[in-house]
Amino acid sequence: MLQVQTLPPVFAPLRALTQLFQRPQAETSTHGTFVTQLGKGKTALALTLRGRRALAYCCDGDSLAEWFQGEVNTDGTLQLVSARHAKLELQVGSRQITGKLTLPLGQAQTFKAAMVSTQGQAGLYRAKKMLGGLEYLGGWIVLPNGKQVGAVRCGRSVVSRPWLDPENPVVRV
């Protein structure tokens, strides 16, 4: 079982289950969380910014669960590559990001994502825990309409698709 802890408004070691940066101190171009659903499918993308540091997650709730991290360039652009070689190219604005996601097999999709309000449950959530000598990494994207997409990976495989209750964020793997 994984339990929630809230991170301070700086990057810190990830603990059990953490909602990342949902309550930013100020909504500026460099502090906040952006979420969107890609196309008409079930894939969602979230990006959290703190200063120049960025953490992004893209998930379809089935086999796609890609994490990205890096730093925003001084011109507001960001190019990230996941551990499984998916690519994320972004242009950061004050209340919106635009970009292109390219999956390892070459499928590409452009998107726009709006900054979510500091009120409510929309945002990016992450869990990381060692169990029985194996690392489990989970991520959930909660959209402003309450819809969520998430998955837990162990190595290269998605092993669980638990629903996350942001009011009581404890999940079983």
Side-chain angles (χ1 to χ4, degrees):
M1 184 176 351
L2 306 174
Q3 292 188 319
V4 170
Q5 297 175 358
T6 302
L7 281 179
V10 294
F11 274 73
L14 294 172
R15 293 173 180 78
L17 177 63
T18 306
Q19 179 182 357
L20 295 176
F21 313 122
Q22 184 184 351
R23 306 280 188 260
Q25 296 292 327
E27 292 183 353
T28 67
S29 63
T30 58
H31 289 78
T33 298
F34 303 80
V35 299
T36 190
Q37 190 166 1
L38 299 179
K40 296 181 182 179
K42 57 185 177 178
T43 303
L45 180 118
L47 171 76
T48 293
L49 296 174
R50 277 290 175 265
R52 292 184 54 206
R53 300 187 81 179
L55 181 67
Y57 181 58
C58 182
C59 183
D60 67 3
D62 288 324
S63 60
L64 178 64
E66 297 292 323
W67 286 97
F68 305 83
Q69 61 182 350
E71 291 197 8
V72 179
N73 298 317
T74 56
D75 64 357
T77 61
L78 183 61
Q79 295 86 31
L80 304 172
V81 178
S82 73
R84 290 173 234 352
H85 307 291
K87 295 178 185 169
L88 187 59
E89 301 168 65
L90 300 166
Q91 177 67 49
V92 178
S94 63
R95 307 279 308 157
Q96 175 177 286
I97 57 171
T98 57
K100 180 170 87 170
L101 171 70
T102 306
L103 298 176
L105 296 177
Q107 313 92 307
Q109 182 156 10
T110 60
F111 61 87
K112 290 181 182 180
M115 183 184 288
V116 296
S117 170
T118 58
Q119 306 300 310
Q121 299 173 340
L124 175 59
Y125 297 75
R126 178 177 168 129
K128 184 175 182 181
K129 186 152 184 146
M130 294 295 290
L131 297 170
L134 300 172
E135 181 181 85
Y136 291 82
L137 179 60
W140 294 263
I141 299 165
V142 178
L143 299 166
N145 65 5
K147 181 178 176 185
Q148 67 174 258
V149 179
V152 176
R153 276 192 178 278
C154 182
R156 295 191 170 271
S157 301
V158 171
V159 295
S160 180
R161 295 163 191 86
W163 184 78
L164 177 70
D165 177 1
E167 293 295 322
N168 183 26
V170 175
V171 295
R172 295 184 187 277
V173 176

